[in-house]
Amino acid sequence: MPDQDFSLPEGTHTVILGLGDANGIMRGKRIPASHWDHICKSGNALSIALFAIDMTCDVWDTPYVNFDNGYPDMHLFPITKPVSIPWEPGVAIAFGRAEGMDHKPVPIDPRNALIRQVERAEAMGFDVQVGTELEFYLLDPETGQPRDQGIQVYGLGRAARMEHIVGPIRQQINECGIPIEQSNPEYAAGQVEVNIRYDNALLSADRVVMFKSLIRQLGIAHDYLATFMPKPFYDQSGNGFHVHYSFWKDGKNAFSDGGSLNETGRAFIAGLQKRMSEAAITGSGTVNGFRRRAPYTFCPTSTAWGFDNRTVGIRVIEGSESACRVEKRDAGADANPYLLLAADIAAGLDGIEQGMTPTEPTMGNAYENPIGEPIPTDLQTAITLARGSEWLKDVMGELQWELTLQQAERELDFFSQQVTQVELDRYLRTL
């Protein structure tokens, strides 16, 4: 196999090289172009602590990396050709992979969990195709509040008012190699949804990590705070991460018979239904993430599935042969895409291998009459179910599973130790 081309665009003076951390946040380094050839050959050393820090960069002892072993190094190597960042002349960005000092994969690199499931699917003859939809808020960086008012979801007037920032998102991030299909104003002031075109599962997950980082960087360039926090405003729409799955075999959609969902697709759904509750932690590991999960929020509260029904957890879209697919709707925008996709694909493959049968589809309101089991709507329940899941431990790998649950437990403990302003307002002068 010939060496991959990692040559730099003309005029590049700096290269951003990064990868997704434990929370799917892209972290890495800025490298002078003069040092790039060396990085491509020898890698860039940085601490494995990158995979053992929370979203605030707080670090704690984990079974794999800790104070006793000194938080040793790993190496970061590029896996994509650097592309120019349109809003930062002379700067290019590339996506990377982690390699331990022993030249082996790092066990707590969440990307490895997805690689294992993609390889499993390939061994079964399937090419897993994934499309992603991400919601986020564009806020004033000083106040943390939207600059626009009202909802006007899909409103073209509102879209025009936001075009000064959303237009560059579509155009310039597309130029960075992430194929943007469309954007629209979402169901809250300051909220936007962007759809990324489907591709193979691993590439799609990599793109989500880079997309979120580029959105934040582009926001900074335009004086916006871009946030994928699942529920920044309790009385407003939450930020979801909807994932569209289709399996392909011999160039054909394995979920489709003439554009209609077939038995393979139904078995995939059955696998998702079986594991949605115990894998809920992969859709969000924070207290805030579970604030989305409430009735009548367009976030599901059950494992119900149905045809073109946005009240269910698993929505089937039929139509043309290529368009037939399964959308899973429960995850928050804070989800690590590698762990989320790994758990979903593993569950679906189990369903196919074991010939599982799903429930009957829910034809009406799944918040009132779901045909399916409830899924966790609070972090404690999600942790308890994940802790009891040998299946999830096997999918994630024991070290990754333990690290993920430790972080979620730390988040829950942190919130339990706070006295909120609401409590002070209600009780300080009345009790």
Side-chain angles (χ1 to χ4, degrees):
M1 179 182 293
D3 292 337
Q4 189 169 344
D5 179 12
F6 295 123
S7 60
L8 300 177
E10 185 176 352
T12 299
H13 57 71
T14 299
V15 187
I16 299 171
L17 178 63
L19 79 175
D21 73 357
N23 291 285
I25 298 169
M26 190 171 178
R27 301 188 189 275
K29 295 187 177 183
R30 288 192 171 220
I31 301 158
S34 58
H35 194 53
W36 181 243
D37 285 345
H38 174 76
I39 296 299
C40 293
K41 295 174 184 175
S42 303
N44 195 325
L46 71 171
S47 174
I48 297 176
L50 181 147
F51 291 129
I53 54 177
D54 66 17
M55 67 292 296
T56 70
C57 294
D58 192 17
V59 65
W60 73 97
D61 272 8
T62 69
Y64 183 76
V65 57
N66 47 58
F67 286 101
D68 287 340
N69 64 22
Y71 292 92
D73 268 350
M74 61 184 180
H75 276 121
L76 180 59
F77 290 89
I79 56 175
T80 66
K81 180 178 169 62
V83 293
S84 296
I85 294 182
W87 61 90
E88 202 169 351
V91 177
I93 188 167
F95 203 78
R97 64 171 180 87
E99 183 180 289
M101 302 305 284
D102 57 1
H103 304 294
K104 295 179 180 179
V106 178
I108 57 171
D109 178 355
R111 193 170 186 264
N112 292 324
L114 180 54
I115 289 173
R116 289 192 294 271
Q117 295 306 318
V118 168
E119 291 176 344
R120 176 187 170 198
E122 290 173 347
M124 295 170 63
F126 292 120
D127 172 24
V128 181
Q129 295 285 301
V130 173
T132 56
E133 301 175 355
L134 287 146
E135 296 166 335
F136 55 94
Y137 277 85
L138 295 168
L139 306 173
D140 184 289
E142 297 299 322
T143 66
Q145 296 294 314
R147 286 176 171 157
D148 59 335
Q149 296 180 343
I151 296 173
Q152 292 303 312
V153 62
Y154 302 125
L156 295 179
R158 183 175 161 220
R161 287 192 292 273
M162 301 182 77
E163 185 68 1
H164 65 284
I165 174 65
V166 180
I169 286 173
R170 288 194 317 275
Q171 299 155 24
Q172 296 183 342
I173 292 182
N174 198 78
E175 292 173 24
C176 291
I178 298 175
I180 306 300
E181 288 195 321
Q182 58 205 22
S183 67
N184 63 270
E186 257 301 331
Y187 201 77
Q191 192 183 37
V192 177
E193 179 182 291
V194 173
N195 297 1
I196 303 173
R197 182 168 176 77
Y198 69 90
D199 213 310
N200 74 73
L202 188 60
L203 178 58
S204 290
D206 290 343
R207 283 173 171 167
V208 167
V209 172
M210 184 180 283
F211 171 81
K212 291 170 72 171
S213 181
L214 290 172
I215 289 287
R216 294 186 185 99
Q217 294 177 51
L218 183 56
I220 291 169
H222 287 263
D223 193 33
Y224 277 91
L225 166 64
T227 181
F228 294 85
M229 179 180 176
K231 195 73 169 176
F233 309 107
Y234 188 77
D235 60 345
Q236 299 296 322
S237 177
N239 288 324
F241 177 5
H242 301 161
V243 188
H244 294 250
Y245 293 101
S246 60
F247 284 14
W248 292 70
K249 180 177 278 191
D250 300 325
K252 296 181 180 180
N253 187 347
F255 286 176
S256 175
D257 283 340
S260 296
L261 187 74
N262 62 16
E263 290 305 311
T264 301
R266 288 173 181 267
F268 176 83
I269 288 171
L272 290 181
Q273 286 188 306
K274 182 175 181 179
R275 302 298 186 182
M276 274 183 75
S277 291
E278 64 197 272
I281 199 76
T282 66
S284 184
T286 67
V287 171
N288 182 263
F290 282 85
R291 295 189 189 277
R292 286 180 58 251
R293 298 178 181 236
Y296 295 97
T297 60
F298 292 104
C299 179
T301 56
S302 74
T303 65
W305 73 279
F307 296 96
D308 201 11
N309 184 340
R310 286 182 168 85
T311 70
V312 300
I314 305 166
R315 171 176 172 249
V316 173
I317 300 98
E318 298 182 318
S320 69
E321 189 71 17
S322 61
C324 186
R325 60 196 186 275
V326 174
E327 178 192 23
K328 186 162 174 284
R329 297 175 52 83
D330 62 321
D334 61 329
N336 184 318
Y338 300 119
L339 301 181
L340 175 65
L341 268 61
D344 288 353
I345 294 167
L349 289 173
D350 287 352
I352 294 169
E353 279 188 329
Q354 298 169 31
M356 294 183 190
T357 302
T359 64
E360 291 297 312
T362 294
M363 306 305 291
N365 183 353
Y367 293 122
E368 294 295 332
N369 298 298
I371 305 176
E373 299 298 322
I375 57 177
T377 55
D378 66 277
L379 182 57
Q380 180 60 75
T381 301
I383 290 171
T384 300
L385 291 173
R387 273 278 176 214
S389 176
E390 290 296 321
W391 175 86
L392 188 62
K393 183 193 295 188
D394 181 66
V395 169
M396 296 173 70
E398 184 172 2
L399 290 170
Q400 182 72 64
W401 174 82
E402 180 62 36
L403 185 148
T404 299
L405 286 172
Q406 282 186 6
Q407 177 182 269
E409 288 161 350
R410 292 172 79 247
E411 289 296 301
L412 190 63
D413 188 54
F414 173 80
F415 276 85
S416 71
Q417 296 176 29
Q418 308 305 309
V419 175
T420 67
Q421 188 61 47
V422 172
E423 292 169 272
L424 292 172
D425 290 344
R426 286 185 68 83
Y427 307 134
L428 185 65
R429 300 181 187 278
T430 60
L431 296 178

